[in-house]
Amino acid sequence: MSSQNLPQSPESPLSSEQSSEQSSEQGRKPRVAVVFGGRSSEHGISVVTAGAIMSAIDRTKYDVLPIGITRDGRWALTADDPARMAITDRKVPEVDQLTESARGVVALSVDPGSREVVLSEPGAVPTALGEVDVVFPMLHGPYGEDGTLQGLLELSGVPYVGAGVLASAVGQDKEYMKRVFTSFGLPVGPYEVVRPREWESDRPAARKRIMEFAAEHGWPLFVKPARGGSSMGITKVDDAAGLDEAVEEARRHDPKFLVESLLRGREIECGVLEFEDGPRASVPAEIPPVTSHDFYDFEAKYIDSAAGLVPAPLTEEQTAEVQRLAVEAFEAASCEGLVRADFFLTEDGTFVINEINTMPGFTPISMYPRMWQESGVDYRELVDRLIQSALNRSTGLR
């Protein structure tokens, strides 16, 4: 890879000396609230990812406050027990399995002058859990990764890891993500968007439009939720007979869906991490063809642990090009902190961007940490760098 993209120093945005001075002034270690779970279909993998993050946080430098959001949206104080947050017997964990109280509710003040977190239980005096210095929002999908949680944290004046409101929303909605990329001259593949009203009020017309798209670009097609992740709700459709079922599967996750053509080529991923001098790209990785699955779906990613190739077997020119495009995508969407950018290297040798993920899978075996491990930033350092970067960044317009 080009040397300009490699991390030049393990120093975090706030040096150890600065961190010590900050802690000394406060009289305590910075408190990191790890928020996970949530109302999206990616609830379980969010719990898994948060467990890995909590295991990696340096407890000599930080206090950790684990806050789980149940599937029905209740914020709950949970056990600080990463061992219970792993996939077991091919099943992902749930926040409800970890809560300290079946009815207790955790609340964060929306007063920017106070970062106090309070636990309220029926019939009891609210319990102050202390102030939070930074939030690590390990939520995937809607109601967490899409700018909603980021907006709450902006109102509360609490710094947080990762993209802001706009970038989170753009990174979650595949339609507008592609529109932004196109406006910046980044190459995207053919796609068609079907909005809820179109499908619900005139299904024959919407279906006709999809069939015209298939006639132009050929089968198979991919039908996917517009605002989802972890490959959930995505179906590879080989012909018209499977279309309606695929649409209903996508709409179980999001009433708006996309139809994309099959891009023949290699799947390449690249991590972007914000350093003191701006975003840099990791060595890229390749997702090899998954023979036991139709495509790189949820089970292939998280259950069967399909192995990616890190670094990807690319030429120096190809590596430099995908790194350049990854950083351009990061900048185009106004991202902060981190991004995983996913590409296809097509048969004619050009890169086409598929999507970005503003809070990518973050277990130690996930592709984003593996790419940075190969680039010289190990998992614990990666977590620490993201926390320090967030602590050093104000909320509000910036």
Side-chain angles (χ1 to χ4, degrees):
M1 71 178 282
S2 70
S3 60
Q4 66 181 9
N5 288 310
L6 279 168
Q8 303 299 314
S9 166
E11 291 293 321
S12 293
L14 282 178
S15 67
S16 297
E17 182 179 344
Q18 288 173 304
S19 298
S20 297
E21 289 176 359
Q22 181 187 63
S23 300
S24 176
E25 290 172 4
Q26 295 175 337
R28 58 172 176 78
K29 293 180 287 187
R31 180 171 291 113
V32 181
V34 180
V35 181
F36 58 93
R39 295 162 57 190
S40 83
S41 53
E42 298 177 79
H43 176 102
I45 196 60
S46 171
V47 178
V48 174
T49 306
I53 293 289
M54 288 163 56
S55 294
I57 292 176
D58 185 348
R59 302 305 179 97
T60 67
K61 292 177 63 174
Y62 309 104
D63 286 330
V64 174
L65 179 66
I67 300 174
I69 302 178
T70 63
R71 287 190 181 272
D72 61 5
R74 178 173 66 95
W75 287 45
L77 182 64
T78 66
D80 186 357
D81 189 357
R84 294 168 55 195
M85 301 167 72
I87 295 173
T88 305
D89 297 328
R90 303 177 69 86
K91 294 181 180 179
V92 291
E94 298 271 335
V95 166
D96 279 331
Q97 300 166 356
L98 303 163
T99 57
E100 298 282 277
S101 167
R103 299 176 67 190
V105 175
V106 170
L108 177 66
S109 171
V110 293
D111 175 5
S114 171
R115 297 177 178 177
E116 191 81 19
V117 176
V118 175
L119 173 65
S120 299
E121 297 189 78
V125 176
T127 303
L129 300 177
E131 290 192 346
V132 166
D133 298 288
V134 64
V135 170
F136 207 129
M138 285 314 312
L139 292 133
H140 299 301
Y143 311 110
E145 192 183 351
D146 59 351
T148 50
L149 176 63
Q150 289 75 15
L152 171 63
L153 296 174
E154 291 286 351
L155 288 173
S156 300
V158 180
Y160 53 93
V161 171
V165 176
L166 174 65
S168 296
V170 169
Q172 187 64 39
D173 191 312
K174 294 177 175 61
E175 175 192 357
Y176 289 99
M177 181 196 308
K178 292 175 187 293
R179 291 184 184 275
V180 168
F181 290 159
T182 300
S183 73
F184 277 83
L186 291 163
V188 302
Y191 69 98
E192 193 74 33
V193 180
V194 181
R195 293 182 172 82
R197 188 179 302 159
E198 296 174 289
W199 188 256
E200 292 160 7
S201 64
D202 195 348
R203 184 173 303 190
R207 199 174 191 280
K208 180 175 181 290
R209 188 151 56 88
I210 296 172
M211 295 303 295
E212 290 171 349
F213 179 85
E216 180 180 357
H217 298 287
W219 300 92
L221 302 176
F222 287 91
V223 179
K224 58 177 64 175
R227 295 159 292 196
S230 296
S231 298
M232 287 188 167
I234 300 177
T235 305
K236 181 182 177 183
V237 183
D238 294 315
D239 53 44
L243 181 59
D244 286 350
E245 184 178 351
V247 168
E248 291 311 310
E249 172 60 18
R251 281 172 52 82
R252 284 200 313 111
H253 300 266
D254 186 348
K256 182 169 79 166
F257 64 93
L258 268 68
V259 178
E260 296 179 349
S261 63
L262 172 67
L263 291 176
R264 301 187 185 279
R266 299 161 61 187
E267 292 189 52
I268 306 295
E269 298 184 348
C270 191
V272 180
L273 181 64
E274 196 167 18
F275 286 75
E276 297 86 342
D277 58 354
R280 302 183 202 167
S282 70
V283 300
E286 180 170 4
I287 306 300
V290 184
T291 57
S292 58
H293 300 263
D294 264 353
F295 60 97
Y296 195 44
D297 62 7
F298 177 84
E299 288 215 349
K301 285 180 180 179
Y302 299 112
I303 304 297
D304 295 335
S305 300
L309 303 176
V310 186
L314 300 170
T315 67
E316 287 187 13
E317 292 77 13
Q318 289 171 329
T319 295
E321 176 66 1
V322 76
Q323 289 173 332
R324 179 185 70 81
L325 290 171
V327 171
E328 285 192 11
F330 182 97
E331 297 281 37
S334 298
C335 294
E336 295 171 285
L338 73 164
V339 148
R340 192 193 72 229
D342 300 345
F343 298 85
F344 291 103
L345 176 55
T346 61
E347 293 176 338
D348 66 2
T350 60
F351 284 101
V352 174
I353 187 164
N354 182 35
E355 64 181 34
I356 57 170
N357 196 312
T358 57
M359 190 53 73
F362 218 101
T363 67
I365 65 168
S366 297
M367 296 307 297
Y368 184 84
R370 288 181 59 197
M371 288 187 285
W372 278 109
Q373 173 79 38
E374 189 68 23
S375 303
V377 182
D378 67 26
Y379 190 80
R380 290 178 66 87
E381 181 186 341
L382 184 59
V383 170
D384 187 74
R385 176 173 284 278
L386 289 168
I387 293 171
Q388 289 290 337
S389 177
L391 283 167
N392 202 35
R393 186 172 68 230
S394 64
T395 55
L397 298 178
R398 54 189 181 275

